[in-house]
Amino acid sequence: MVEKDIKGRGIKDEKVINAMLKVKRHLFVEKKYLDKAYGDHPLPIGEGQTISQPYVVALMTEALCLRGNERVLEIGTGSGYQAAVLAEIVKEVYTIEIRKGLYEMAKERLKKLGYKNVYVKHGDGYFGWKEYSPFDAIMITASANHIPPPLLAQLKEGGRLVIPLGSTFFYQNLIVVTKQKNSFTVRELGSVLFVPMIGEASKR
Ligand code: SAH
């Protein structure tokens, strides 16, 4: 999977490649999808949600330009796979999941796998996790038609935020925002299809 779908499609960051090699995706999918765990496609994780396709996980992780000493916030814990990939690279990962069942499953799974630098919270990620802000990087793994302002506010100066932005019914554009002296630069990474962010994000 890593040779063909990660390196083969242009992911170059060694830290991302090593993390993708280390985290075993089959430990994050339901038993019935075990044989599909290393294919480059999303898979159901319960409650109508999906674990992202490995290439997109790598692309979003690479986009955050991580060095290793960062504190990262992830919105949409889901299976916990993306959080585990981040935890292999950075110092601390804070991740928020709005669906209780998924939150409990991911929390238990990450604990069992021995991740001591991942902190999981049940709640609406729209409002971020102020207590531990500012973050060096923020990753939103559910789609929204706008960037939640509290998340931009909790991003450090020079920090990066990646989000599938656009229609929550059709495709979105994966964008990376860099915060610089109260202005923002935006880079587009291409089309993606993510499940929608629910809660506050869907009301606006
Ligand atoms: N990163 C996950 C996959 C994300 S799927 C993984 O590696 O498996 C998107 C997730 O975002 C779903 O689990 C969904 O329940 C969650 N979600 C949707 N809206 C949210 C919100 N407002 N706050 C936190 N999580 C949210």
Side-chain angles (χ1 to χ4, degrees):
M1 173 191 98
V2 171
E3 274 306 319
K4 178 169 163 274
D5 300 317
I6 306 300
K7 285 194 198 167
R9 287 184 67 183
I11 302 296
K12 293 201 168 60
D13 188 329
E14 286 293 328
K15 285 189 288 317
V16 176
I17 293 167
N18 287 336
M20 298 291 296
L21 282 170
K22 202 149 173 217
V23 183
K24 304 294 172 227
R25 194 168 181 254
H26 74 269
L27 300 175
F28 294 82
V29 303
E30 290 173 32
K31 272 214 177 82
K32 60 181 167 199
Y33 299 110
L34 272 186
D35 59 327
K36 295 194 170 64
Y38 295 99
D40 196 26
H41 34 65
L43 286 173
I45 54 171
E47 303 200 31
Q49 306 306 299
T50 51
I51 178 172
S52 308
Q53 104 187 59
Y55 169 68
V56 173
V57 169
L59 182 68
M60 290 175 86
T61 310
E62 187 174 64
L64 295 180
C65 304
L66 302 167
R67 296 198 164 161
N69 56 350
E70 292 89 353
R71 174 186 296 180
V72 180
L73 175 68
E74 180 201 19
I75 307 304
T77 317
S79 68
Y81 177 70
Q82 173 73 72
V85 169
L86 287 166
E88 293 290 347
I89 303 174
V90 302
K91 203 157 136 203
E92 291 168 6
V93 179
Y94 292 81
T95 179
I96 307 176
E97 172 57 53
I98 201 166
R99 291 182 166 89
K100 191 91 187 275
L102 292 178
Y103 153 78
E104 279 164 357
M105 231 154 52
K107 190 175 171 161
E108 191 53 37
R109 177 180 285 138
L110 290 163
K111 191 175 151 201
K112 245 197 216 150
L113 292 173
Y115 286 101
K116 295 204 166 60
N117 59 339
V118 183
Y119 304 88
V120 192
K121 173 168 136 171
H122 174 229
D124 189 342
Y126 190 91
F127 304 102
W129 200 335
K130 203 157 180 226
E131 239 179 301
Y132 297 103
S133 69
F135 297 95
D136 299 288
I138 299 179
M139 182 187 291
I140 299 143
T141 66
S143 61
N145 62 11
H146 67 285
I147 304 176
L151 297 181
L152 281 177
Q154 291 175 27
L155 189 61
K156 228 180 230 175
E157 202 60 45
R160 287 84 51 206
L161 174 150
V162 63
I163 181 172
L165 187 68
S167 161
T168 51
F169 299 103
F170 199 51
Y171 282 80
Q172 302 91 35
N173 196 353
L174 195 57
I175 65 154
V176 193
V177 177
T178 305
K179 186 174 183 175
Q180 279 158 341
K181 297 202 181 82
N182 284 327
S183 85
F184 298 95
T185 57
V186 178
R187 191 160 64 91
E188 300 185 4
L189 300 179
S191 299
V192 284
L193 182 56
F194 274 76
V195 293
M197 211 173 157
I198 59 169
E200 187 67 22
S202 61
K203 294 184 196 151
R204 306 193 180 202

